Amino acid sequence: MSGQGSSVLTRVLLGATRLLPVAMLAISAAGNAGGAPAAMTRESILTIAKTIPNFSYWWGGSKWSPGATDKGVCTPTGSSGCPSCTHSGAWGADCSGFVGKAWQIPSPIALTTASHPYVADSFTSSGPYWKVISRSDAKLMDAFSSSHHTWLFEKGDPWGYAWAYECKGCVYKCIHDDRSTSGYTAAVRSNLTDAVDTDGDGVPDSKDNCDKTDNADQKDLDGDGIGDVCDPDIDGDGVLNTKDNCDTVKNVDQKDTDKDGKGDACDTDDDNDGILDTKDNCPLVANKTQADLDKDGKGDACDDDIDADGILNAKDNCPLVKNPDQKDTDGDGKGDACQLDDDADGVPDATDNCKTVKNPDQSDIDGDGIGDDCDPDIDGDGVLNAKDDCPEAKNPDQLDSDKDGKGDVCDEDLDGDTITNDVDDCPSAANTDQLDTDGDGKGDVCDDDLDGDGIVNTKDNCADVSNPDQADTDKDGIGDACEVGDGGDPGDFSGTTAGGGCATGNGNGDGRTGAWLGVGIALALWIGRRRRR
């Protein structure tokens, strides 16, 4: 090719890198008459290849406009795809149309101009514009072809998987992908002029950010134009790699919490507790147990309010037990919520029946588990202490016989006669005189058998005179023992002895004097007893 033709091609390819309106590569084919294609570099072919991804697959197509929004559409019309497919839109290419256009063979031509002189099988054997080579010798933008498909090699294992540019099929479209090389024949385009590549990494020195060090990926972390493999400060933080504890992560302060030589900015376990920072609830404080009492996602080791009660640990009298009221019954500086003996009575809270009221004796009259000193109903009778007339003795009926305000069950003088129950012969009936006619220890006012003759008062015909036989000669309901006369007429005081024998008293034999005397004595006794009642 003439020098003029070569310079024209160079200018066109440079235009491609700027995504010129697609008339790039519209150059004269002059100088190709001898059969050799116009000279190209591998990089210029790559520049073209990079413009194809996302354009549609077009069976028999070979034109596309870099940067166009219309990529074309391929629609399968059969289960096996193209050629059983249709295409719509102005742009697209199939596999061989793409390779021929990228290689600019047989002559330079604009990408927007249709030109499809080859099929995939064409590249499986040497031709006037390429030659078959061993896959081991494959380099950037060499073609890999089979009888039905062809694509351009970028990088990778020519005997395994490699990155490629290809128009893969109707569904896949034209893509940049990582694919298998198995079953393909390699070929190199003729008349390639490789740019100077001192380090042999496939990147010309003019574009290589480390031209003396192999770095095909051209990685430049800090974007300073110097590739990472030859940059003395890869992360651009002002600390040289040899002294930087995170040479690929910018960290001017060089902070290293766990002092393991790896800066926090790049240390996956800053506190060196064995828990990765991404899962550590205290990434800067070692806490292997990951304890988190309040379940707030912040470990106890670094949580300034462990129990989440709104009181900071430094001021919380129970930092591990939620107690926003900070109640401290015994004033010892330890909150009731976490103290073992809140009332300081010597009885642990766990067994104390009055946790906040001092009661070392633990008295609990009603046995309800609440100590008497804090029980609102000590005797458990359902009547609160404040209203209970016997707060320490169960008496739900609140019976108070003598109305002295003290219930009967706890009143030491039930009848209010000033005689205490323990010595009162009638504790439930007032009897200050303690009269006990029959001397049986039960006062007359409460004795149901006053005369002690074994007959209860209500049935005794002489309640005040002992007469167990209940003799009642005249059948008037008053026993003979307490009746004034002997038989029938209350005014008859004659008194006759059985059998009409001798009489007593007046010497006349009629017994009247003796009878009158007896009646008088009996009457006196009866009146006396009545008065004493």
Side-chain angles (χ1 to χ4, degrees):
M1 182 176 185
S2 68
Q4 180 181 4
S6 176
S7 64
V8 171
L9 177 59
T10 299
R11 288 196 302 273
V12 170
L13 291 176
L14 287 175
T17 65
R18 301 184 186 95
L19 297 180
L20 283 177
V22 189
M24 70 179 236
L25 300 180
I27 59 177
S28 169
N32 293 336
M40 290 184 77
T41 65
R42 294 180 185 276
E43 288 72 26
S44 61
I45 297 174
L46 176 61
T47 298
I48 295 174
K50 286 181 177 179
T51 66
I52 195 65
N54 295 318
F55 278 96
S56 60
Y57 185 88
W58 186 358
W59 181 264
S62 61
K63 62 176 183 174
W64 65 95
S65 176
T69 56
D70 174 17
K71 306 293 184 180
V73 177
C74 180
T75 304
T77 58
S79 59
S80 59
C82 295
S84 298
C85 59
T86 60
H87 184 270
S88 61
W91 312 115
D94 64 11
C95 61
S96 55
F98 159 65
V99 171
K101 185 63 67 69
W103 269 9
Q104 289 288 289
I105 55 175
S107 61
I109 188 171
L111 300 184
T112 53
T113 300
S115 173
H116 199 299
Y118 311 106
V119 295
D121 188 55
S122 302
F123 302 104
T124 60
S125 58
S126 297
Y129 304 113
W130 63 85
K131 69 175 181 177
V132 171
I133 58 174
S134 168
R135 273 196 276 169
S136 299
D137 297 328
K139 294 182 180 179
L140 178 70
M141 293 296 104
D142 286 341
F144 276 58
S145 309
S146 69
S147 61
H148 60 281
H149 190 53
T150 184
W151 48 272
L152 294 180
F153 176 89
E154 181 189 21
K155 60 184 177 181
D157 181 2
W159 293 97
Y161 279 81
W163 280 95
Y165 286 92
E166 60 180 322
C167 289
K168 194 168 185 177
C170 188
V171 175
Y172 294 99
K173 301 188 291 187
C174 298
I175 58 175
H176 178 222
D177 65 342
D178 186 19
R179 57 155 304 135
S180 171
T181 64
S182 178
Y184 288 89
T185 299
V188 60
R189 180 191 187 277
S190 300
N191 204 18
L192 282 177
T193 58
D194 291 332
V196 177
D197 182 12
T198 302
D199 54 18
D201 59 6
V203 182
D205 288 356
S206 60
K207 297 182 179 180
D208 198 338
N209 58 18
C210 282
D211 58 5
K212 293 180 175 59
T213 304
D214 186 340
N215 67 329
D217 61 9
Q218 295 289 288
K219 188 176 180 181
D220 180 11
L221 183 66
D222 59 1
D224 63 354
I226 302 174
D228 293 344
V229 298
C230 61
D231 191 342
D233 180 15
I234 293 175
D235 56 14
D237 60 3
V239 182
L240 295 180
N241 300 332
T242 53
K243 295 183 178 182
D244 196 340
N245 59 19
C246 280
D247 58 2
T248 59
V249 178
K250 187 175 291 188
N251 65 329
V252 178
D253 61 8
Q254 297 286 291
K255 185 178 180 182
D256 180 11
T257 298
D258 57 5
K259 309 300 180 186
D260 64 352
K262 185 179 290 187
D264 292 350
C266 60
D267 192 345
T268 56
D269 182 13
D270 289 340
D271 54 15
N272 202 31
D273 59 3
I275 312 295
L276 294 180
D277 293 339
T278 53
K279 297 183 177 181
D280 197 339
N281 58 20
C282 281
L284 298 179
V285 179
N287 63 330
K288 289 185 178 181
T289 65
Q290 296 288 286
D292 180 11
L293 183 67
D294 57 4
K295 308 300 180 186
D296 64 351
K298 185 180 291 186
D300 296 343
C302 59
D303 193 344
D304 56 3
D305 181 13
I306 294 175
D307 57 11
D309 60 3
I311 312 297
L312 296 181
N313 300 331
K315 295 183 177 182
D316 197 340
N317 60 19
C318 278
L320 300 179
V321 179
K322 185 177 290 188
N323 64 329
D325 61 5
Q326 297 287 289
K327 186 177 180 181
D328 180 10
T329 299
D330 58 6
D332 64 352
K334 185 178 289 187
D336 293 349
C338 60
Q339 189 165 40
L340 296 179
D341 183 14
D342 290 341
D343 54 12
D345 60 2
V347 182
D349 291 341
T351 57
D352 196 342
N353 58 20
C354 279
K355 292 178 175 56
T356 59
V357 177
K358 188 176 293 188
N359 66 329
D361 62 5
Q362 296 289 288
S363 176
D364 181 10
I365 290 176
D366 59 0
D368 63 353
I370 302 174
D372 296 341
D373 289 346
C374 60
D375 193 343
D377 180 15
I378 294 175
D379 55 14
D381 61 3
V383 183
L384 296 180
N385 301 332
K387 296 183 178 182
D388 198 339
D389 58 15
C390 278
E392 296 185 2
K394 187 175 292 188
N395 65 329
D397 59 7
Q398 296 288 288
L399 184 62
D400 179 11
S401 297
D402 58 0
K403 308 301 179 184
D404 63 352
K406 186 178 289 187
D408 290 351
V409 299
C410 62
D411 193 345
E412 68 278 359
D413 179 16
L414 282 173
D415 53 15
D417 60 3
T418 72
I419 310 299
T420 58
N421 301 331
D422 58 337
V423 296
D424 195 341
D425 58 13
C426 276
S428 298
N431 63 332
T432 306
D433 59 10
Q434 296 287 291
L435 183 63
D436 180 10
T437 299
D438 57 3
D440 64 354
K442 186 179 290 186
D444 290 351
V445 298
C446 62
D447 194 346
D448 57 359
D449 182 13
L450 283 172
D451 53 14
D453 59 5
I455 311 299
V456 296
N457 301 331
T458 57
K459 295 182 178 182
D460 195 342
N461 57 18
C462 277
D464 297 278
V465 179
S466 178
N467 63 331
D469 62 3
Q470 296 288 290
D472 181 10
T473 301
D474 58 3
K475 308 301 183 184
D476 63 354
I478 300 174
D480 295 347
C482 60
E483 190 165 27
V484 176
D486 66 344
D489 184 358
D492 180 8
F493 300 103
S494 58
T496 303
T497 60
C502 26
T504 60
N506 63 4
N508 294 322
D510 59 5
R512 288 186 179 180
T513 301
W516 277 107
L517 180 59
V519 170
I521 294 171
L523 183 58
L525 288 173
W526 183 79
I527 292 172
R529 287 176 181 171
R530 289 297 181 186
R531 285 179 178 171
R532 284 196 296 271
R533 280 205 236 164

